[in-house]
Amino acid sequence: MGVEILKQNKVHPFIIKKCSTWLIKLNSNILIVKNRRAALDLSQKVRVLCWVMTQPQHLKSRTQHIRATWGKRCNIVLYMSSEASDFPTVGLNVLEGRSQLYWKTIRAFQHIHMHHLDDADWFLKADDDTFVVLENLRYGLSKHNTEEPLYFGRRFTPFVAQGYMSGGAGYVLSKEALRRFVKGFADGLCTHNTEIEDIGLGKCMETMKVQLGDSRDVLGRQTFHPYPPNNYLPRQLPRPRPWYLLYEHYHPVEGPGCCSDLAISFHYIDAVQMHTLEYYTYRLRPFGYKYRFNPGERSENRNNN
């Protein structure tokens, strides 16, 4: 509108060009400020406690890079390990090793239930090589009630009748889901019946009548990812499912349509990739870019196929 008025008043084209560039930059800055304000508001309305599964030998190679990037956006972040340290880590009195992952998960949620139940609304578990976009997680959770028995993540199909959420992609429990998980072990309804963390938790969730939420966006695209972006984004000719898509509950899509614009997590992210994703997510912006995806719009593309 401002540029049209200048043209009507026969202002010199050079000045019109300068004003046009300035308006584009101004509009971009206004959009950034609005987005930051919206994210800040959600951080107070949707409080997320993040707990990161780590171990003593990973603190320098992995965990410190989470602390320097996405960890600082959690309302509370706890680093769970086999022993306490001044990093700081919470010592869970368990051994290290893949066979101990479910014990570590059980002890971590019991600790959180005892010490932090009222400090957050949702409780996210992530590995020490997972990258998480907290703003997108909060947006997805904002449409749900934490007093309902729900948990969200990347839904897998085998081994548990109702399915379960991938451990590597991270999963998030509502407050009621956390209560039920802890109660399941207190009452003997849930047991340490497998060394595989995500399957074990999924079986307990099923026993305790905790429902699996659908974390896909309105276009049916996935938000939690058990592998890095390069496993999903390249276009592929029709082919049998690769090994890393065999457990998918929903029909997997390969290529750009695989992943939501509001992606929440990627797994198997090393230290360099952690800081690279941090830069791409929070700093890199093409000049004059107008955001094309409206997450409030419903679509027929989101279905159970």
Side-chain angles (χ1 to χ4, degrees):
M1 179 66 72
V3 173
E4 291 301 320
I5 292 175
L6 293 176
K7 289 181 178 178
Q8 291 172 8
N9 286 275
K10 299 182 179 180
V11 176
H12 192 281
F14 175 78
I15 296 177
I16 293 176
K17 183 178 180 181
K18 284 288 186 181
C19 289
S20 178
T21 302
W22 179 81
L23 286 171
I24 291 173
K25 187 173 182 179
L26 176 62
N27 289 334
S28 297
N29 289 336
I30 290 173
L31 182 59
I32 291 171
V33 170
K34 286 182 177 179
N35 289 343
R36 287 176 177 169
R37 185 179 300 124
L40 181 61
D41 289 344
L42 268 186
S43 72
Q44 303 306 313
K45 295 175 182 177
V46 184
R47 300 173 302 161
V48 178
L49 180 149
C50 310
W51 75 267
V52 178
M53 185 183 290
T54 190
Q55 51 186 289
Q57 57 266 45
H58 286 176
L59 296 182
K60 289 186 178 180
S61 61
R62 296 185 183 184
T63 320
Q64 70 167 339
H65 301 287
I66 289 180
R67 184 172 63 182
T69 57
W70 66 265
K72 59 191 176 185
R73 299 183 183 93
C74 305
N75 294 87
I76 298 173
V77 59
L78 302 174
Y79 300 99
M80 301 292 193
S81 182
S82 55
E83 57 187 52
S85 73
D86 59 4
F87 181 80
T89 54
V90 177
L92 297 174
N93 192 28
V94 297
L95 300 175
E96 291 294 352
R98 292 194 65 83
S99 64
Q100 300 297 308
L101 294 182
Y102 191 30
W103 275 124
K104 189 179 284 188
T105 300
I106 295 166
R107 297 287 182 258
F109 278 125
Q110 289 172 334
H111 174 90
I112 291 167
H113 182 268
M114 179 178 295
H115 297 286
H116 297 285
L117 181 64
D118 295 325
D119 296 335
D121 307 304
W122 298 87
F123 304 88
L124 169 72
K125 175 266 172 184
D127 288 347
D128 57 13
D129 57 351
T130 302
F131 183 82
V132 180
V133 184
L134 263 296
E135 293 85 352
N136 293 348
L137 175 62
R138 289 192 180 100
Y139 173 76
L141 295 175
S142 67
K143 301 184 284 291
H144 301 280
N145 183 357
T146 190
E147 295 300 333
E148 295 179 357
L150 297 168
Y151 88 121
F152 295 90
R154 180 67 163 246
R155 189 172 180 176
F156 282 173
T157 290
F159 310 121
V160 182
Q162 75 169 5
Y164 64 99
M165 300 304 184
S166 160
Y171 47 77
V172 58
L173 276 61
S174 69
K175 188 171 291 190
E176 179 59 21
L178 174 59
R179 292 191 191 104
R180 294 193 184 194
F181 180 76
V182 172
K183 180 176 174 56
F185 281 91
D187 294 348
L189 299 173
C190 296
T191 60
H192 185 277
N193 52 16
T194 176
E195 295 180 352
I196 305 175
E197 161 237 336
D198 47 10
I199 294 176
L201 185 133
K203 289 180 177 178
C204 185
M205 295 287 102
E206 183 176 69
T207 298
M208 301 306 294
K209 303 295 188 293
V210 175
Q211 300 174 4
L212 284 75
D214 187 350
S215 62
R216 296 175 301 161
D217 70 15
V218 295
L219 299 180
R221 300 173 300 183
Q222 297 280 6
T223 57
F224 288 82
H225 302 91
Y227 296 95
N230 55 278
N231 280 59
Y232 305 103
L233 290 171
R235 295 184 185 276
Q236 303 289 347
L237 295 173
R239 61 174 180 168
R241 288 193 191 188
W243 61 269
Y244 54 86
L245 294 177
L246 292 177
Y247 288 0
E248 297 290 330
H249 175 79
Y250 302 106
H251 180 73
V253 174
E254 296 187 86
C258 66
C259 310
S260 175
D261 289 27
L262 298 178
I264 291 170
S265 70
F266 291 97
H267 187 218
Y268 294 122
I269 303 300
D270 63 27
V272 173
Q273 292 172 319
M274 193 77 66
H275 290 277
T276 302
L277 285 174
E278 175 83 0
Y279 170 74
Y280 286 158
T281 303
Y282 293 99
R283 292 180 56 193
L284 179 62
R285 295 291 183 276
F287 178 74
Y289 174 73
K290 184 177 181 181
Y291 197 58
R292 70 188 184 279
F293 175 54
N294 183 356
E297 291 181 354
R298 288 291 170 185
S299 171
E300 295 180 357
N301 291 337
R302 176 165 172 166
N303 51 52
N304 293 324
N305 294 330

